[in-house]
């Protein structure tokens, strides 16, 4: 059974009408993520929000009226896309105002290539994209904990405690993407195999 990425009603409400193209690690990177999230949450004295399941966001969209058209474009990208190698190389953070602990990913050739190929395809469309950055500015990652509700002192402590390299460099190959969308307070998804027309 598919595990949702977001589970709380507040998270689902905040994402209403949005769509995201994501990769879902399931092996070594997923295991590192799960351990990191468990340990991070256990060390906090206060309640924070967090993704229910680890995921790597490649793009966000605001196209609730053209979801089928968006899906068709994503399927075109996926059919041309080889499986994607992902390697976790550090625990890092996005500073204030975001205050997010992340599992940072190395810029593997296949991950960079997948992002660039997606950019090339999207440049020919008028899909409304959310929070898009140029490839050189994008940090590939899995969000672990959203610490925006933490006060400055608590965030500083978490930030200092969290950041570290990962000498083991857990790596896995991802063979499918998911287009996830949020409608009527529910997370929906379509799994799209990579490299298959």
């Amino acid at each position: 059974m598919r595990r949702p990425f977001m589970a709380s009603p507040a998270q689902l409400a905040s994402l209403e009408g949005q769509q995201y193209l994501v990769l879902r690690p399931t092996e070594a990177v997923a295991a590192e993520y799960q351990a990191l999230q468990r340990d991070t949450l256990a060390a906090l004295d206060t309640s924070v929000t967090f993704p229910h399941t680890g995921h790597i966001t490649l793009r966000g969209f605001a196209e609730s009226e053209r979801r089928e058209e968006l899906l068709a474009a994503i399927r075109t990208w996926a059919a041309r896309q080889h499986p994607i190698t992902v390697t976790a190389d550090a625990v890092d953070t996005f500073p204030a105002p975001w205050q997010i602990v992340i599992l940072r990913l190395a810029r593997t050739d296949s991950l960079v290539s997948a992002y660039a190929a997606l950019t090339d395809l999207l440049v020919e469309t008028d899909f409304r994209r959310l929070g898009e950055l140029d490839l050189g500015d994008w940090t590939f990652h899995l969000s672990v904990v959203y610490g925006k509700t933490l006060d400055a002192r608590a965030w500083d402590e978490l930030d200092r405690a969290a950041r570290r390299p990962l000498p083991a460099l857990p790596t896995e190959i991802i063979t499918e993407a998911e287009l996830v969308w949020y409608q009527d307070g529910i997370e929906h998804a379509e799994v799209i195999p990579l490299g298959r027309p």
Side-chain angles (χ1 to χ4, degrees):
M1 181 175 166
R2 178 190 179 276
R3 287 185 50 145
F5 297 115
M6 301 298 176
S8 80
Q11 287 174 315
L12 292 170
S14 74
L15 296 166
E16 184 71 21
Q18 298 175 22
Q19 306 81 41
Y20 292 88
L21 178 64
V22 302
L23 305 175
R24 181 195 295 258
T26 59
E27 297 171 2
V29 172
E32 185 72 34
Y33 174 85
Q34 290 161 3
L36 172 60
Q37 188 179 65
R38 181 191 62 237
D39 294 347
T40 304
L41 290 171
L44 291 170
D45 294 336
T46 185
S47 167
V48 293
T49 58
F50 53 91
H52 189 61
T53 304
H55 58 282
I56 303 158
T57 301
L58 295 181
R59 283 302 194 289
F61 303 92
E63 285 295 347
S64 56
E65 301 300 315
R66 297 194 297 170
R67 192 176 67 250
E68 287 305 319
E69 190 179 334
L70 177 60
L71 264 168
I74 297 302
R75 287 186 197 111
T76 297
W77 166 81
R80 299 174 186 159
Q81 179 61 52
H82 295 294
I84 300 169
T85 300
V86 295
T87 298
D89 67 0
V91 181
D92 206 344
T93 62
F94 291 139
W98 302 281
Q99 297 186 186
I100 303 172
V101 175
I102 64 169
L103 182 60
R104 193 182 69 210
L105 300 176
R107 294 174 72 84
T108 61
D109 290 344
S110 63
L111 187 55
V112 168
S113 168
Y115 192 92
L118 185 58
T119 299
D120 291 345
L121 179 138
L122 291 172
V123 124
E124 303 298 321
T125 74
D126 65 348
F127 294 129
R128 288 169 292 184
R129 303 191 291 272
L130 303 171
E132 184 172 74
L133 295 173
D134 290 335
L135 177 57
D137 297 326
W138 186 251
T139 299
F140 294 102
H141 69 281
L142 294 87
S143 296
V144 176
V145 167
Y146 304 124
K148 196 167 189 169
T149 58
L150 298 176
D151 64 32
R153 181 175 169 217
W155 169 251
D156 286 345
E157 288 175 6
L158 177 58
D159 180 52
R160 277 194 306 277
R163 286 183 278 123
R164 63 187 179 276
L166 293 177
L169 299 177
T171 298
E172 65 179 90
I173 296 173
I174 297 178
T175 60
E176 57 191 26
E178 293 183 41
L179 185 68
V180 180
W181 66 94
Y182 297 89
Q183 182 178 346
D184 301 324
I186 299 171
E187 180 181 293
H188 306 268
E190 177 167 326
V191 176
I192 308 165
L194 302 177
R196 290 188 217 159

